Each structure stands twice: as C-alpha cells, then as structure tokens.
Amino acid sequence: MKGLMFQKRHPNTTLFFVILCLLSYLTLSCQIIQNMFSSKDKIVVVLADVSGSIPDRDWQIYEQSFEALLNPGQEVAKPGNRLVLGRISGQTLSNFIPDADSSFPKTGVELNDKESAEKVAQNLKEKFQQLRQKQSRSTNIFESLKIAEDIFNRDQKRKVRWLVIFSDMVEESKKYNFKTNPPTKSVAEKILEDHKNSGFLPSLKGVKVYVAGAGGGTNYKAIKDFWLRYFKETGAICDESTYGRSPITAFK
C-alpha cells in the first residue's frame, strides 16, 4: 500500500524537480545577460566631417582625438562597449550606412577580452583613416544628429551614451549655410522653432557630447553659442569644456 502511494506521488515530485531546475536555469541566464550588459557599458557614436574643404591641420585634430578616444585609459576600448563610426556629409537617416560598427567582446575571460579589444581598436583606427577618401560637398550636421538619435534609440542595453563630433561645425547643407548666413540670435531662434514644430529636433537626453575641430573664423562665437544652445534643447550634455577646436586628450 505504501509502495502504491509512493508511485502516485512520484510524478509530482519529478515535475517539481524539473520546474526547480528550469527556474534555476532562468535565474542564472538573467544574471549572465545582466553581466554582459552592465549599466556602465557605453555606446559611442563618432561623426567625422568629411567635407572637401577640411584642411590637413583639422584632420590632425581629428586623428589625435580619435587616437585618444581609443586609448585604454579612456574607458572606451573596453569589454561590453560599442563604437559606431559615421560621416558628416550629405547622408540622411534613410540612406545612412556606418563606416564601422564594432562591439568590444565581453566573455568574462580578461586576457581574451583584452586581446579582442586591441584588435577591434586597431580595426577602428584603420577605418577612421579611410574616411578622408570619402569626401563630401556638403556638411549636414543637423541630419547627422538625427542619425545619432536613431543609433542610440536602437541600443537600449548600453546606458552610457557619448556623441563625439569632429567638425568645424559650419553647417553647409541645402537648407542652411552658416558660411553665408551665420546663426545669429534671430536665425538661431528660427531654426529651433522650425525644428521643434516639425519634430526634426533630435532627442539626445543624457547623451554627453564632445566636439573637436570647431571653427567658423569670425563667426566662431555665434556658431559655438548656437550649437551649445541646440544641444541643450535636445537634452544632451555639452558645454564649453567639451566643445572647442583643440584635440580632445581626455574623455571623462
């Protein structure tokens, strides 16, 4: 009789054991995924101005800054991070193709991850050097910011977001030309109003923005003031400490 009762309970015991194993497996899987994409993982979007008017001295600023960005001490070439490299040109959101989109492997094996990070960083440096061969007649910074917004929105796993811009910041597109019509206060207000009303103003809340190579000649201050205001309206973090002409040697 006791043996019969045991046999009746046995299927339930087995089912309970299977459920317990599944729950343990799911818990372990969630922990692994959380470790793979920690809250400190970064996505860095780098946009480089490839206008044919960019002089050699500006490219040197870009190159020095990009080299510094991938320096191990800058916390970018680290396991779990991702870097997307693109051009500021005539590309739009609908036809944008990144010149590089690389993730730094995160296996948990320190030596392997370090070696992989070095290889990824070297490949990115080579891709960056190739950008100058892809010159453009236009400099559409506004459209590039919409592209950056789209890239960030598609990556919800990485919570730390940086936007690095290498450009003189002189917009030269079909609609706006800061060389012939610099962004004075009245022009700036009109641009902001148009972008807000049309929904073209990108949402970059919490994104830290770095700018190197900024120029503009006699209109430098007007252009700088405009972009600092524009980035603020997008929700991004950008001030005079991260916006300038000199190479960026420290990304924090």
Side-chain angles (χ1 to χ4, degrees), residues 208-243:
K208 189 162 187 179
V209 179
Y210 298 86
V211 176
T218 56
N219 295 315
Y220 175 81
K221 188 179 186 307
I223 292 175
K224 181 191 73 171
D225 290 346
F226 167 77
W227 285 117
L228 291 180
R229 167 80 184 282
Y230 194 87
F231 286 129
K232 183 178 181 179
E233 293 291 340
T234 69
I237 303 167
C238 184
D239 56 35
E240 294 192 13
S241 67
T242 59
Y243 181 107

Side-chain angles (χ1 to χ4, degrees), residues 55 57-58 61 65 167-168 211-216 220 243-248:
R57 62 180 180 274
D58 285 40
I61 292 173
S65 300
S167 172
D168 60 9
V211 176
Y220 175 81
Y243 181 107
R245 173 151 185 78
S246 302
I248 300 173

Side-chain angles (χ1 to χ4, degrees), residues 178-189:
F178 287 178
K179 279 189 175 181
T180 58
N181 188 25
T184 58
K185 288 186 178 181
S186 59
V187 172
E189 290 297 333

Side-chain angles (χ1 to χ4, degrees), residues 4-212:
L4 182 61
M5 290 176 65
F6 175 77
Q7 289 179 357
K8 288 182 179 179
R9 291 197 302 267
H10 182 66
N12 292 334
T13 303
T14 302
L15 179 61
F16 174 78
F17 179 74
V18 170
I19 293 173
L20 183 63
C21 288
L22 286 173
L23 289 174
S24 299
Y25 174 77
L26 290 173
T27 301
L28 180 61
S29 298
C30 289
Q31 291 176 344
I32 292 174
I33 292 174
Q34 287 177 350
N35 290 334
M36 288 179 64
F37 297 99
S38 72
S39 60
K40 295 183 179 180
D41 289 344
K42 296 181 181 67
I43 173 170
V44 182
V45 176
V46 179
L47 299 173
D49 189 341
V50 294
S51 170
S53 62
I54 298 298
D56 291 342
R57 62 180 180 274
D58 285 40
W59 271 103
Q60 290 174 2
I61 292 173
Y62 302 170
E63 290 169 348
Q64 291 174 32
S65 300
F66 192 71
E67 184 77 24
L69 181 68
L70 291 176
N71 186 305
Q74 301 296 339
E75 301 297 324
V76 173
K78 297 290 185 180
N81 293 345
R82 175 187 173 201
L83 190 148
V84 181
L85 176 63
R87 286 164 282 144
I88 298 175
S89 59
Q91 292 186 103
T92 63
L93 182 59
S94 61
N95 63 15
F96 173 75
I97 299 176
D99 293 273
D101 187 346
S102 302
S103 297
F104 294 88
K106 188 176 185 179
T107 66
V109 181
E110 185 176 353
L111 182 59
N112 292 347
D113 288 347
K114 182 179 179 181
E115 291 179 352
S116 296
E118 291 174 352
K119 291 179 180 178
V120 172
Q122 182 58 39
N123 180 258
L124 285 168
K125 291 176 184 178
E126 292 172 1
K127 294 289 186 182
F128 186 81
Q129 290 298 327
Q130 297 170 10
L131 290 183
R132 202 171 184 186
Q133 302 171 11
K134 305 175 181 179
Q135 294 186 358
S136 172
R137 292 183 178 180
S138 62
T139 305
N140 198 332
I141 301 173
F142 291 122
E143 191 69 41
S144 296
L145 296 181
K146 290 296 290 183
I147 291 170
E149 174 193 36
D150 184 66
I151 295 172
F152 289 130
N153 286 343
R154 292 175 182 274
D155 191 330
Q156 295 295 317
K157 294 177 180 178
R158 296 174 176 86
K159 302 303 181 183
V160 181
R161 302 175 174 193
W162 289 1
L163 173 59
V164 181
I165 301 175
F166 301 137
S167 172
D168 60 9
M169 301 306 287
V170 179
E171 175 83 5
E172 291 184 86
S173 58
K174 292 180 179 180
K175 192 170 183 179
Y176 306 103
N177 191 318
F178 287 178
K179 279 189 175 181
T180 58
N181 188 25
T184 58
K185 288 186 178 181
S186 59
V187 172
E189 290 297 333
K190 182 65 167 60
I191 292 174
L192 283 167
E193 182 182 2
D194 289 347
H195 286 195
K196 288 178 180 179
N197 292 339
S198 65
F200 188 71
L201 184 74
S203 175
L204 299 173
K205 186 177 181 180
V207 176
K208 189 162 187 179
V209 179
Y210 298 86
V211 176

